[in-house]
Amino acid sequence: MKKYYFDNCKTTQPAPEVVDAMLPYLGEKFIFPANFVLGGSTAAEELETFKRTVADSIGAQPSEIHFTSSGTAANNIAIKGFLSENAKNGTHIIVSVIDYPDLLTNAAFFEKSGFEVTYLQSDDQGLIDLEQLKGSIRKDTIMMMTTFVNHTVGSIQPIKEIREILDTADHKVALHVDAGQAYGKLPIDVNELGIDLMSISAHKIHGPQGVGALFQKKGIVVGPVIHGINRIDNHQTGGISMANIAGFAKAVELTFSDLDKTISQLKELSSYLMEKIETTIPYYMLNGPKGKNRAPHNVNYSFDFIEGEAIMLMLDIAGISVATGSACASQGLKANYILMAMGRNHEQSHSSMKFTLSRYNTKEEIDYTVEKLAEIVKELRRRSPLYNGEK
Amino acid sequence: MQYSQKVLDHFMKPHNVGKIEKPDAEATEGSPACGDQVSIFMKVDPKSHVIKDIKFQSYGCASNIATGSIITDMAMGKTLEEAKDISWKEAAEELDGLPPVKMHCSVLAVDTLRKAIKDYEIKHNLSEADVFSKETIVEELKKVIYPKVGEDIVTLKMVKYVGFEDGIAIIDLEIPKFDKYRENVAEEVQEHLEQYPEIKEVKITM
């Protein structure tokens, strides 16, 4: 059966070119980077090239790029390494209630060990409260963390404005950005945006799983988090995978060789999907912003009177992979915390369906998907005690 | 987590879906906020008390729909006394099992069926409405399933204390601190007890 994959926020299919780029490192090119010895110095040169590729994609220097074993590892190294090193300057940090779990669980961890955390609220579009941010900066605030593109509703946080607000403080407030869902979906220039630390991940842009990168601006000090031997990186110590790094660099090349094209392709697909849903299925509600504040690959709707896990499972049986915010499909049986923070009720959260697109999706796939979705929604509404057969 | 083929069959093509106009008995349990709600409608033979027709509606996940389907299949043609005895474990077994995290769906379906039967009995003076007591609270807590193992919290001895005084229900639960279902279990206890008008407040300690 043909598979229709619309869960690219979770992970993406590796590009065939990426797999090819990895293969030599799983065979004869197994040697770690090192100086003076032949095999080692070739690897060292190649590692430098891979760093440059990633650095160029965000306007950074190669020396500012650290390869890590995942986006989550990059977040942990950035947050734990920065806060432990800079706690002498203050122990107050800022995050928002709709941030990625990596940021929220780290904030909770530091809260337990004596830091104070301000949690910014979200509006009904999934954008953080900048007025609240202005009032939250204190003498002892040392860092703000934010998720560039929200992983549930695709809202794009205004990083430049956030930086400007942080700069009104009479001392340096570092800005850490989780760009997992933003990288490859919109142009990012770390200098222009004033980002100090940023995490990205390969498998969200058709690269391999198990590799990410941390951008650490020159001058920002991050202490050691993972203690051990420096094989490839002084932060992600130990033997991380050159094959994964090679695959990552290839994925970056493919995505960024024509980023405008990549973005407009995604925009066209998501606009098509949204229009199809809105003209085919009654009683829907778009979750997240419409237009320029929304990432081009994210589509998220709630469908009244029915529950999301049932929709997801029926779509799955039809070969279509999507995600839902329903408590029934979640790990802790809880309604999606982002939708709840945006003011949606339990019912709207339970019935939310998230479609995240990639450049490999087609309009034909979308046609089939919406046709199936419409049938499923109709059938589940027929079974629902909440639906009175409205037209 | 995998559903059995039988769960998928009943989910994709559920039996007895719909509403009965002018039913002899009906009941609705759960709520959209909890993410699952079931309504059951019955026609009952007044002499033999055999369930002649039974239908259900479901707002909920796949296992919610499948348990609604199986429970109505199981009750059809039984007397009220027989149908009352169907347990949530039997309903789950009839579906070739449910994942532990979905066991509460079976409890909800059985509970709705029993409420519908009670509705009939009260309407026909066959029984009286239950008198509320501390025992009612304990019975209600037996409907709260610990999702990790698919067993109720009373059987699992996770309920350390139950108190009821001046309209305040006091429940002491023992759940490991970093258990991912900690909040879920507390919410479930809250929701189960809130439906009783006799309970003005639920106090949960963990």
Side-chain angles (χ1 to χ4, degrees):
Chain A
M1 184 166 74
K2 181 172 159 49
K3 295 285 174 201
Y4 301 79
Y5 188 74
F6 295 100
D7 202 5
N8 290 283
C9 165
K10 209 169 280 160
T11 194
T12 59
Q13 185 193 336
E17 298 92 327
V18 164
V19 179
D20 287 344
M22 292 171 72
L23 287 175
Y25 296 91
L26 298 170
E28 76 272 20
K29 284 185 161 187
F30 66 92
I31 296 172
F32 274 138
N35 293 324
F36 312 122
V37 287
L38 206 57
S41 53
T42 309
E45 279 162 30
E46 285 168 353
L47 180 62
E48 198 55 27
T49 316
F50 298 148
K51 272 191 187 176
R52 183 167 294 283
T53 303
V54 175
D56 286 348
S57 71
I58 55 169
Q61 294 300 316
S63 59
E64 294 174 316
I65 300 299
H66 298 268
F67 287 111
T68 60
S69 62
S70 66
T72 294
N75 279 325
N76 273 275
I77 291 167
I79 299 165
K80 292 197 169 81
F82 180 86
L83 293 182
S84 56
E85 192 65 27
N86 294 279
K88 55 186 180 293
N89 300 322
T91 53
H92 176 242
I93 55 175
I94 302 170
V95 69
S96 87
V97 292
I98 57 165
D99 273 312
Y100 196 58
D102 288 7
L103 307 194
L104 287 170
T105 49
N106 265 288
F109 172 77
F110 277 93
E111 202 168 18
K112 235 178 70 188
S113 46
F115 273 68
E116 279 184 68
V117 182
T118 296
Y119 292 91
L120 302 178
Q121 298 302 309
S122 161
D123 69 5
D124 60 358
Q125 304 286 297
L127 294 163
I128 59 173
D129 186 341
L130 295 183
E131 285 308 308
Q132 193 193 352
L133 171 61
K134 283 177 194 165
S136 299
I137 303 168
R138 314 188 322 204
K139 273 198 173 69
D140 58 346
T141 308
I142 58 169
M143 183 163 80
M144 150 112 188
M145 310 188 245
T146 190
T147 311
F148 205 148
V149 165
N150 186 275
H151 56 289
T152 297
V153 296
S155 49
I156 304 171
Q157 302 305 333
I159 301 297
K160 209 169 176 180
E161 281 174 65
I162 291 172
R163 177 78 262 172
E164 282 163 12
I165 293 169
L166 296 179
D167 283 346
T168 60
D170 55 9
H171 65 284
K172 168 80 182 174
V173 179
L175 177 59
H176 171 63
V177 175
D178 179 318
Q181 288 301 321
Y183 187 57
K185 313 296 189 302
L186 42 98
I188 302 175
D189 184 316
V190 285
N191 291 312
E192 200 185 302
L193 295 170
I195 293 170
D196 297 306
L197 295 157
M198 185 171 88
S199 63
I200 55 177
S201 176
H203 74 108
K204 312 284 190 188
I205 58 159
H206 306 289
Q209 294 167 351
V211 60
L214 167 66
F215 159 76
Q216 178 191 356
K217 192 186 174 78
K218 197 178 169 207
I220 296 290
V221 183
V222 169
V225 173
I226 304 165
H227 299 86
I229 187 165
N230 179 359
R231 292 284 188 209
I232 286 178
D233 192 88
N234 60 325
H235 284 321
Q236 182 78 62
T237 56
I240 62 173
S241 161
M242 278 293 281
N244 282 356
I245 293 170
F248 188 2
K250 180 52 79 178
V252 174
E253 255 179 62
L254 295 170
T255 303
F256 287 83
S257 64
D258 194 346
L259 185 62
D260 290 345
K261 194 180 144 208
T262 308
I263 293 170
S264 64
Q265 238 177 333
L266 290 172
K267 253 188 202 149
E268 199 182 323
L269 288 171
S270 57
S271 306
Y272 185 72
L273 173 57
M274 285 160 96
E275 198 193 304
K276 274 246 148 187
I277 287 176
E278 294 190 7
T279 51
T280 315
I281 302 171
Y283 308 112
Y284 61 82
M285 179 186 241
L286 177 69
N287 295 311
K290 211 164 192 173
K292 66 174 175 38
N293 290 331
R294 186 179 200 108
H297 66 306
N298 177 298
V299 173
N300 189 321
Y301 283 94
S302 292
F303 298 102
D304 295 352
F305 319 117
I306 51 180
E307 185 277 334
E309 196 218 53
I311 304 174
M312 185 174 77
L313 198 61
M314 282 194 174
L315 285 171
D316 187 59
I317 289 166
I320 303 162
S321 298
V322 299
T324 172
S326 173
C328 293
S330 78
Q331 285 230 330
L333 292 175
K334 275 181 288 201
N336 183 280
Y337 70 95
I338 289 162
L339 294 171
M340 297 304 283
M342 285 165 59
R344 298 284 188 268
N345 60 32
H346 279 91
E347 212 179 317
Q348 289 159 339
S349 173
H350 295 322
S351 71
S352 68
M353 302 307 298
K354 179 171 74 171
F355 305 79
T356 42
L357 303 159
S358 87
R359 61 173 183 264
Y360 293 130
N361 289 125
T362 63
K363 285 188 177 172
E364 289 69 36
E365 288 183 345
I366 290 173
D367 287 340
Y368 171 79
T369 299
V370 177
E371 189 190 313
K372 285 286 158 198
L373 178 67
E375 286 171 21
I376 290 166
V377 167
K378 199 172 164 194
E379 170 59 17
L380 289 174
R381 282 180 180 163
R382 182 183 75 86
R383 302 177 189 178
S384 170
L386 308 178
Y387 183 62
N388 301 319
E390 284 123 297
K391 285 277 148 3
Chain B
M1 186 178 72
Q2 282 283 324
Y3 282 126
S4 71
Q5 190 53 48
K6 208 155 173 194
V7 172
L8 291 178
D9 291 346
H10 278 270
F11 165 55
M12 291 305 281
K13 290 201 162 63
H15 309 163
N16 318 313
V17 169
K19 220 172 167 173
I20 296 176
E21 294 305 325
K22 295 188 186 155
D24 295 327
E26 64 183 296
T28 294
E29 286 292 296
S31 77
C34 312
D36 42 19
Q37 185 175 326
V38 178
S39 300
I40 286 181
F41 310 87
M42 297 193 304
K43 280 278 187 197
V44 180
D45 184 90
K47 283 201 185 111
S48 62
H49 294 156
V50 165
I51 299 171
K52 289 186 301 182
D53 194 13
I54 180 163
K55 286 201 184 311
F56 82 101
Q57 289 183 316
S58 151
Y59 162 85
C61 62
S63 68
N64 184 282
I65 292 169
T67 48
S69 175
I70 202 80
I71 199 80
T72 47
D73 268 0
M74 289 168 86
M76 185 90 79
K78 284 200 168 70
T79 65
L80 296 178
E81 283 304 317
E82 289 165 346
K84 237 190 258 181
D85 281 343
I86 301 170
S87 72
W88 59 265
K89 283 190 180 162
E90 284 165 350
E93 274 163 27
E94 198 65 28
L95 285 168
D96 295 340
L98 278 173
V101 69
K102 297 291 182 185
M103 215 45 109
H104 68 274
C105 295
S106 189
V107 177
L108 182 70
V110 167
D111 199 26
T112 315
L113 175 65
R114 288 183 186 168
K115 287 264 162 71
I117 294 170
K118 189 86 189 168
D119 178 51
Y120 183 87
E121 289 177 341
I122 291 171
K123 277 181 187 160
H124 293 80
N125 295 317
L126 297 169
S127 86
E128 286 172 13
D130 293 331
V131 179
F132 185 85
S133 73
K134 204 174 98 174
E135 264 316 294
T136 315
I137 297 179
V138 176
E139 283 307 307
E140 196 60 40
L141 291 178
K142 284 183 187 164
K143 296 175 194 165
V144 177
I145 301 293
Y146 179 49
K148 198 181 260 175
V149 293
E151 184 60 84
D152 75 87
I153 59 172
V154 175
T155 304
L156 289 170
K157 299 191 169 38
M158 294 170 82
V159 182
K160 292 288 147 192
Y161 174 78
V162 175
F164 182 67
E165 214 172 313
D166 298 334
I168 301 171
I170 300 164
I171 316 293
D172 188 37
L173 300 172
E174 190 172 271
I175 309 172
K177 204 171 173 190
F178 293 105
D179 193 306
K180 67 178 174 184
Y181 296 115
R182 206 171 134 94
E183 275 177 57
N184 172 263
V185 171
E187 270 175 32
E188 283 285 311
V189 168
Q190 185 87 28
E191 279 160 6
H192 272 269
L193 297 183
E194 267 173 3
Q195 54 173 317
Y196 289 93
E198 293 86 354
I199 299 176
K200 279 180 266 166
E201 194 186 340
V202 183
K203 278 188 182 164
I204 300 169
T205 54
M206 288 195 273

